[in-house]
C-alpha cells in the first residue's frame, strides 16, 4: 500500500469513528434519559450539524482549496434543499398535529 492509499484509509477510518460517536451520543442521551426537554433537542441538533460536517470533510473530501466557488455553490444548494425538506416536514407535522387536536 502506498502512502496516499494509507492516508485515505486513515481518513475514512477517522471519519467513520467520528460518525459513530456522533450517532451514539444522541442515542445514549435519549435512551438513558440523561437529558430532558429542550436540552436533548439542542444536543441532537448540534450532533446532526457536526455529523454533516464530518461527512463533508472526511467522506466527500470537501475543502475550499481546489475549487472554492464550485464547492460553495454546491454546499449552498444542498443547504437550501435540506431547509426545504426539513421545513416542509415540520410544516406537515404541525398541520397534522393541529388537525388531530
Amino acid at each position: 500500500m502506498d502512502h496516499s492509499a494509507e492516508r485515505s484509509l486513515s481518513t475514512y477510518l477517522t471519519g467513520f469513528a467520528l460518525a459513530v460517536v456522533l450517532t451514539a451520543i444522541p442515542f445514549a442521551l435519549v435512551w438513558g434519559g440523561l437529558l430532558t426537554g429542550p436540552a436533548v433537542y439542542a444536543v441532537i441538533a448540534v450532533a446532526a450539524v457536526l455529523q454533516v460536517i464530518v461527512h463533508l470533510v472526511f467522506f466527500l473530501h470537501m475543502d475550499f482549496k481546489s475549487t472554492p466557488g464550485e464547492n460553495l455553490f454546491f454546499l449552498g444548494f444542498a443547504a437550501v434543499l435540506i431547509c426545504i425538506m426539513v421545513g416542509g416536514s415540520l410544516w406537515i407535522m404541525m398541520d397534522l398535529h393541529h388537525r388531530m387536536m
Side-chain angles (χ1 to χ4, degrees), residues 17-73:
L18 286 172
V20 168
V21 168
L22 288 171
T23 301
I25 289 171
F27 272 102
L29 289 176
V30 171
W31 187 48
L34 301 173
L35 287 177
T36 58
V40 74
Y41 298 128
V43 170
I44 291 172
V46 168
V49 169
L50 290 175
Q51 182 89 249
V52 168
I53 292 170
V54 164
H55 283 267
L56 288 173
V57 171
F58 288 100
F59 299 120
L60 296 176
H61 305 291
M62 292 275 292
D63 59 354
F64 294 110
K65 296 175 188 167
S66 57
T67 52
E70 290 176 3
N71 284 346
L72 188 60
F73 175 75

